[in-house]
Amino acid sequence: MNIIIKVINTIFLLFVFSSLLVATASASEELQYDSDEQVSIANKTIIPRLQWNAYKKMHDLKDGINPKNGRTFLIAYADQIVGKATNESGFMDSRTIAFNKALLAAKEEMATFLAKDLKSSRSFVLSEFGDEIPNRLKKEVVEPLSIMDKAATLTGLALDNEIKKFDKNWDGTKKTDADRIVKMAEQSERFTKYLTSRSIEFLQGTTPIFNAEGPNDEGKYTVVVGIVWSGKSTRVAESVYNPTISLPQGPKKSLSIQNQLENLSDEVLAATLGVRMWWDEEGLPVVISFAQAKGTGSTIIAKKKTANRASHQIAQFVAEQIVSSASDVSIEEIHYYDDGSHTAFNLSEYKMKIEAIGPTIPLKGAGTVLYKKIVHPITEKRIVVNVVTWSPESNLIARELGKMSDDQATKMDATKGGTVFKNNQKSSHSNSVGTVTTTGLQGVSSDPDDF
């Protein structure tokens, strides 16, 4: 009897455990679409990078490849310091730039994970100079000059300039001509290493699921972005320009996108930047784009600028070619002198370039659904938040309305702007419009049922 009970208990525990695993996998997979699981934080007491680590741990995520529930998605992360101080007028724009830098760096992480070309070379050159060979400084600088040129040129700052040609770290401040006597190397070693990498990948449907901002462990204001890319998200991105694509279906939300946005607190709105994907009440994906600007100055400029940024973010979500290249040149040269001493010179250099190149995207049906002026929780500055959405439904409606507009233009062209009817029309005083008296400064209104 005890054995039977143990077997039943074991089966029950295995069932519960497997259910939890499936639930965790499904939850992790839905992070890119579930507004309740995506996080935006502006906090001045917790380091943003640590918040990202806690988020990954909570959802069983790791940077790089994540196989879940028979499918695979990629996770990448980057952070960037905001250039402007929080009390400067240009802080909000600088913060947006920092977000875009971090987003671009995170996308580059994904691109290089998918593929990158590497090339390298190394060399080690050793040289020795005999006693009868003039030192390089003397041979190349002093000897070509006449006696009068030496007297006039190789003194003071002029000599400093010549010495700097061979020693970039030379500082002649408060140096006498006697101090400017340069030790000549009898031997030298020069090690050179060239490392180059290049990656070109087409990324479609990549979105943030996490962003946080606040002081880092050094007290510098930092923006952190965590992004995800999956096969399902590429289908949503493709549907922007291809309405025939089969869209992923998700759980039907009890609230509409509009209501989900209105339920966000001002603190969350202030912290959210970039594109998200959420399920709507029909279980269809909707692309949400958040953009911000400072809340002072021209209201028209603020709204137009944020709407433009939000729309371009949707285009970047649809398609971007990530091109990254890096060169790492390591050079060290050591000079050995006849007095037994030596000096090492570091001539290394590192360069990296990341480009995100997007094609022209025919964006139809994207529009502002929430525009709000709020206070940023850390800086206490007034900002505007503009949220632009795109959905398969709005796409179809915009295409139909666009077709109707084109048809009307065609009809007008066919009738030469109506001039072909001018002889068939007779003016009638009975068709004149009378005046309308209104109380106060109120415009003429229309019944929406007439639209």
Side-chain angles (χ1 to χ4, degrees), residues 125-136:
V125 179
L126 298 92
S127 304
E128 184 174 42
F129 313 100
D131 292 340
E132 295 182 358
I133 300 177
N135 64 67
R136 285 172 292 172

Side-chain angles (χ1 to χ4, degrees), residues 283-301:
L284 293 175
V286 178
V287 182
I288 322 287
S289 184
F290 297 81
Q292 299 179 12
K294 65 179 182 180
T296 57
S298 170
T299 56
I300 295 177
I301 289 177

Side-chain angles (χ1 to χ4, degrees), residues 162-382:
E162 297 300 329
I163 294 174
K164 284 181 179 178
K165 293 180 180 179
F166 300 89
D167 184 357
K168 294 181 179 179
N169 297 320
W170 172 261
D171 182 5
T173 307
K174 297 182 180 179
K175 295 287 196 308
T176 65
D177 288 344
D179 296 328
R180 293 184 175 91
I181 298 175
V182 180
K183 291 193 297 183
M184 293 299 104
E186 290 186 331
Q187 298 174 326
S188 73
E189 295 177 353
R190 184 182 180 93
F191 175 81
T192 305
K193 180 177 68 173
Y194 291 96
L195 302 177
T196 60
S197 64
R198 183 173 174 82
S199 177
I200 303 177
E201 292 297 331
F202 184 78
L203 290 183
Q204 190 176 47
T206 303
T207 61
I209 55 173
F210 177 96
N211 65 274
E213 60 184 89
N216 63 8
D217 48 4
E218 297 178 352
K220 297 177 180 179
Y221 203 96
T222 306
V223 174
V224 167
V225 182
I227 64 174
V228 61
W229 176 84
S230 69
K232 290 171 66 176
S233 63
T234 62
R235 290 159 56 193
V236 178
E238 184 181 348
S239 68
V240 172
Y241 60 87
N242 179 11
T244 64
I245 192 72
S246 176
L247 288 168
Q249 186 76 28
K252 296 182 179 181
K253 289 289 187 176
S254 58
L255 297 177
S256 66
I257 295 296
Q258 185 74 46
N259 290 335
Q260 292 182 56
L261 288 168
E262 291 173 353
N263 281 350
L264 295 180
S265 66
D266 288 353
E267 289 76 12
V268 172
L269 275 176
T272 306
L273 293 169
V275 171
R276 304 292 191 274
M277 282 192 298
W278 292 355
W279 299 120
D280 65 9
E281 65 271 33
E282 300 298 326
L284 293 175
V286 178
V287 182
I288 322 287
S289 184
F290 297 81
Q292 299 179 12
K294 65 179 182 180
T296 57
S298 170
T299 56
I300 295 177
I301 289 177
K303 188 168 185 178
K304 295 298 184 183
K305 184 164 68 172
T306 51
N308 183 56
R309 289 176 178 176
S311 298
H312 275 82
Q313 287 176 164
I314 296 177
Q316 292 157 7
F317 155 79
V318 172
E320 275 192 325
Q321 187 90 354
I322 306 298
V323 181
S324 67
S325 60
S327 63
D328 185 358
V329 182
S330 301
I331 303 176
E332 183 183 72
E333 186 167 321
I334 301 179
H335 290 184
Y336 296 91
Y337 307 107
D338 59 0
D339 61 1
S341 63
H342 70 275
T343 303
F345 300 92
N346 184 355
L347 307 175
S348 300
E349 183 180 48
Y350 178 81
K351 288 184 178 180
M352 184 175 185
K353 183 178 181 180
I354 307 172
E355 288 185 285
I357 305 169
T360 301
I361 302 296
L363 189 61
K364 301 177 185 294
T368 295
V369 295
L370 180 66
Y371 186 80
K372 193 174 184 180
K373 183 175 286 190
I374 59 177
V375 175
H376 188 263
I378 295 180
T379 64
E380 297 183 354
K381 294 179 180 293
R382 293 191 67 80

